Amino acid sequence: MTAQDELRLLPWAGPDGKPCYLSTDDQGGYVSRLADHIEAFQLGMASQLLEHSRQVLDDETEDLEELHLLTAQLTSALRDVLRVANSRGRGPVRAGPP
């Protein structure tokens, strides 16, 4: 178990879409490092997507297909950011009613 007697929520889901957890005291282990890198990538992508969404909104686009794609991407990025926040002990952060 971790020092806090908690499992680490990993930044990916299992085959059935269920959360994956890591139980280890080794912060420098392979899976811990991989999770750290994936979380950093997800946060970076969310930041870039936020900037892109500002540009789209500033352009006042009426292209519904572009807005739909942007909404889908923002939803995915928000899910990833909430998972990172939960993993890092900022939660439980919930996205809304179950």
Side-chain angles (χ1 to χ4, degrees):
M1 288 293 229
T2 64
Q4 300 171 345
D5 258 0
E6 293 182 8
L7 299 175
R8 177 182 179 173
L9 177 64
L10 296 172
W12 55 80
D16 297 329
K18 294 181 181 179
C20 291
Y21 296 92
L22 177 64
S23 174
T24 182
D25 289 333
D26 185 6
Q27 297 276 330
Y30 176 77
V31 176
S32 290
R33 289 191 325 270
L34 178 62
D36 290 342
H37 288 293
I38 290 174
E39 287 177 350
F41 177 80
Q42 289 172 330
L43 294 173
M45 289 299 295
S47 179
Q48 291 177 9
L49 187 55
L50 179 60
E51 181 57 35
H52 176 66
S53 67
R54 287 184 187 134
Q55 293 170 357
V56 169
L57 293 173
D58 286 347
D59 290 343
E60 297 180 10
T61 185
E62 293 182 18
D63 183 349
L64 293 181
E65 188 174 319
E66 182 177 4
L67 290 174
H68 183 268
L69 176 61
L70 178 60
T71 302
Q73 292 171 331
L74 286 169
T75 300
S76 178
L78 182 57
R79 182 193 65 240
D80 291 343
V81 168
L82 287 173
R83 183 185 299 263
V84 171
N86 281 326
S87 175
R88 294 184 181 183
R90 307 285 192 250
V93 178
R94 303 207 178 190

